[in-house]
Amino acid sequence: DIQMTQSPSSLSASVGDRVTITCRASQSISSYLNWFQQKSGKAPKLLIYAASSLQSGVPSRFSGSGSGSDFTLTISSLQPEDFATYYCQQSYNSPWTFGQGTKVEIK
Amino acid sequence: QVQLQESGPGLVKPSETLSLTCTVSGGSISDYRWSWIRQPPGKGLEWIGYIYYSGSTNYNPSLKSRVTISLETSKNQFSLRLSSVTAADTAVYYCARVASSSFFLHCDNWGRGTLVTVSS
């Protein structure tokens, strides 16, 4: 199985901050990388697919980059509604696997 | 906008079979893959598998011997069966639609999830 490792596991940030979350795959996955946001008690929401494609309806402050084994999710200006847990997920190989999550908390 | 809704028992006894159904509304079940993902309380996400509208399936090898995902196209539903459950199968179970963009697969629509507890 391909292991997905996110860093950091948690972070504290203020409204307006630029936030970066990284995701590393245990082998090259080309651009088969998705990012999800999950708020407490809710289903995950797709933010980014194919490493850098913004899902319809997702604010443009979210962006994704990377290819191969190293990827980044960036929130350009953190908003109150962005406090949540973020997961990366690879769809390059079966079984699909997720990172352990990054919890973004209010500073 | 397509909507998905999970349904099924919230409590299953150890060694029995967990059965859930996902009802798709606002769109056809054709031309997509349909997936199940689970999340144990307080933990991360685990992909269970998906079924293509043609009926072909792809399962997580860690669960493959116990999992069956099936389609009922006439009802716009797909289902999950997980046999011989233990407490480790206690989780919120999500159903999701799998979209494809130039072969890049991604779960773009999710149900709200249903908690299944395995306990006697």
Coordinates of all heavy atoms in Angstrom, one line a residue, chain A residues 9 11 19 21-24 31-32 40 42 46 49 52 63 67 72-73 79-80 83 92 95 100 107:
Chain A
S9 N 0.8 17.6 11.9 CA -0.4 16.9 12.3 C -1.5 17.9 12.8 O -2.7 17.6 12.7 CB -0.1 15.9 13.4 OG 0.7 14.9 12.9
L11 N -1.9 22.5 13.6 CA -1.3 23.8 13.5 C -2.3 24.8 14.1 O -3.5 24.6 14.0 CB -0.8 24.2 12.2 CG -1.9 24.3 11.0 CD1 -2.4 25.8 11.0 CD2 -1.3 23.9 9.7
V19 N -1.6 29.5 5.2 CA -1.4 28.2 5.8 C -1.0 27.2 4.7 O -1.6 27.2 3.6 CB -2.7 27.7 6.5 CG1 -2.6 26.3 6.9 CG2 -3.0 28.6 7.7
I21 N 0.0 23.1 4.2 CA 0.0 21.7 4.6 C 0.7 20.8 3.6 O 0.4 21.0 2.4 CB -1.4 21.2 4.9 CG1 -2.2 22.1 5.9 CG2 -1.5 19.7 5.3 CD1 -3.7 21.8 6.0
T22 N 1.6 20.0 4.0 CA 2.3 19.1 3.1 C 1.8 17.7 3.2 O 1.4 17.2 4.3 CB 3.8 19.3 3.2 OG1 4.1 18.8 4.5 CG2 4.2 20.7 3.1
C23 N 2.0 17.0 2.1 CA 1.6 15.6 2.0 C 2.7 14.9 1.2 O 3.0 15.3 0.1 CB 0.2 15.4 1.4 SG -0.4 13.8 1.1
R24 N 3.2 13.8 1.8 CA 4.2 13.0 1.1 C 3.8 11.6 0.9 O 3.3 11.0 1.8 CB 5.5 13.1 1.8 CG 6.7 12.2 1.3 CD 8.0 12.6 1.9 NE 8.5 13.8 1.3 CZ 9.6 14.4 1.7 NH1 10.4 13.8 2.6 NH2 10.0 15.6 1.2
S31 N 0.1 12.8 -10.4 CA -0.7 13.9 -9.8 C -2.0 13.3 -9.3 O -3.0 14.1 -9.2 CB -1.0 14.9 -10.9 OG 0.2 15.6 -11.3
Y32 N -2.0 12.0 -8.9 CA -3.2 11.4 -8.5 C -3.4 11.7 -7.0 O -3.4 10.8 -6.1 CB -3.2 9.9 -8.7 CG -3.3 9.6 -10.2 CD1 -2.2 9.6 -11.0 CD2 -4.5 9.2 -10.8 CE1 -2.3 9.3 -12.4 CE2 -4.6 8.9 -12.1 CZ -3.5 9.0 -12.9 OH -3.6 8.7 -14.3
S40 N -16.0 19.0 12.1 CA -16.4 18.1 13.1 C -17.9 17.6 12.9 O -18.8 18.4 12.7 CB -16.3 18.8 14.5 OG -16.7 17.9 15.5
K42 N -19.1 16.2 10.3 CA -19.6 16.3 9.0 C -18.8 15.4 8.0 O -17.7 14.9 8.4 CB -19.4 17.7 8.5 CG -20.1 18.8 9.3 CD -21.6 18.6 9.2 CE -22.4 19.8 9.8 NZ -23.8 19.6 9.8
L46 N -14.6 17.6 -0.9 CA -13.5 17.7 -1.8 C -13.1 19.1 -2.1 O -14.0 20.0 -2.4 CB -13.9 17.0 -3.1 CG -12.9 17.0 -4.3 CD1 -11.7 16.2 -3.9 CD2 -13.5 16.5 -5.6
Y49 N -8.6 18.2 -6.6 CA -8.4 16.9 -7.2 C -7.2 17.0 -8.3 O -6.9 18.1 -8.7 CB -9.6 16.3 -7.8 CG -10.2 17.1 -9.0 CD1 -9.9 16.8 -10.3 CD2 -11.1 18.2 -8.8 CE1 -10.4 17.5 -11.4 CE2 -11.6 18.9 -9.8 CZ -11.2 18.6 -11.1 OH -11.8 19.3 -12.2
S52 N -4.0 19.8 -8.3 CA -4.0 21.2 -8.4 C -5.3 21.8 -9.0 O -5.4 23.0 -9.2 CB -2.8 21.7 -9.3 OG -2.9 21.2 -10.6
S63 N -5.5 26.3 -2.8 CA -4.8 25.9 -4.0 C -4.0 24.7 -3.6 O -3.6 24.5 -2.5 CB -3.9 27.0 -4.5 OG -2.9 27.4 -3.6
S67 N 3.7 17.2 -7.6 CA 3.6 16.0 -8.4 C 4.7 15.0 -8.0 O 5.6 15.4 -7.3 CB 3.7 16.3 -9.9 OG 5.0 16.8 -10.2
T72 N 1.4 20.0 -1.8 CA 1.1 21.0 -0.8 C -0.3 21.5 -1.0 O -0.8 21.7 -2.2 CB 2.1 22.2 -1.0 OG1 3.4 21.8 -0.8 CG2 1.8 23.3 -0.1
L73 N -1.0 21.8 0.1 CA -2.3 22.5 0.1 C -2.0 23.8 0.7 O -1.5 23.9 1.9 CB -3.3 21.7 0.9 CG -4.7 22.5 1.1 CD1 -5.4 22.5 -0.3 CD2 -5.5 21.8 2.1
Q79 N -9.8 31.9 6.7 CA -11.1 32.4 7.1 C -11.6 31.6 8.3 O -11.3 30.5 8.5 CB -12.0 32.4 5.9 CG -11.6 33.3 4.8 CD -11.4 34.7 5.2 OE1 -12.3 35.4 5.6 NE2 -10.1 35.2 5.0
P80 N -12.5 32.2 9.1 CA -13.1 31.5 10.2 C -13.7 30.1 9.9 O -13.6 29.2 10.7 CB -14.2 32.4 10.7 CG -13.7 33.8 10.3 CD -13.0 33.6 9.0
F83 N -11.4 26.5 9.7 CA -10.9 25.7 10.8 C -11.5 24.4 10.8 O -12.8 24.2 10.9 CB -11.1 26.5 12.1 CG -10.3 27.7 12.2 CD1 -10.8 28.9 11.9 CD2 -8.9 27.6 12.6 CE1 -10.0 30.1 12.0 CE2 -8.1 28.8 12.7 CZ -8.7 30.0 12.3
Y92 N -3.8 6.8 -7.1 CA -2.9 6.3 -8.1 C -3.0 4.8 -8.2 O -2.9 4.1 -9.2 CB -1.5 6.7 -7.8 CG -0.4 6.2 -8.7 CD1 -0.3 6.8 -10.0 CD2 0.4 5.2 -8.4 CE1 0.7 6.3 -10.9 CE2 1.4 4.7 -9.2 CZ 1.6 5.3 -10.5 OH 2.5 4.9 -11.3
P95 N -4.9 -0.2 -2.8 CA -6.1 0.6 -2.2 C -5.8 2.1 -2.1 O -4.7 2.5 -1.9 CB -6.2 0.0 -0.8 CG -4.8 -0.4 -0.5 CD -4.2 -0.9 -1.8
Q100 N -3.0 11.0 7.5 CA -3.6 10.9 8.8 C -4.4 12.2 9.2 O -5.0 12.2 10.3 CB -2.5 10.7 9.9 CG -1.7 11.9 10.3 CD -0.6 12.4 9.4 OE1 -0.6 11.9 8.2 NE2 0.3 13.3 9.8
K107 N -5.7 30.2 16.6 CA -4.6 30.7 17.4 C -5.2 31.7 18.4 O -5.9 32.6 18.0 CB -3.5 31.3 16.6 CG -2.2 31.5 17.4 CD -1.2 32.0 16.4 CE 0.2 32.0 17.0 NZ 1.2 32.3 16.0

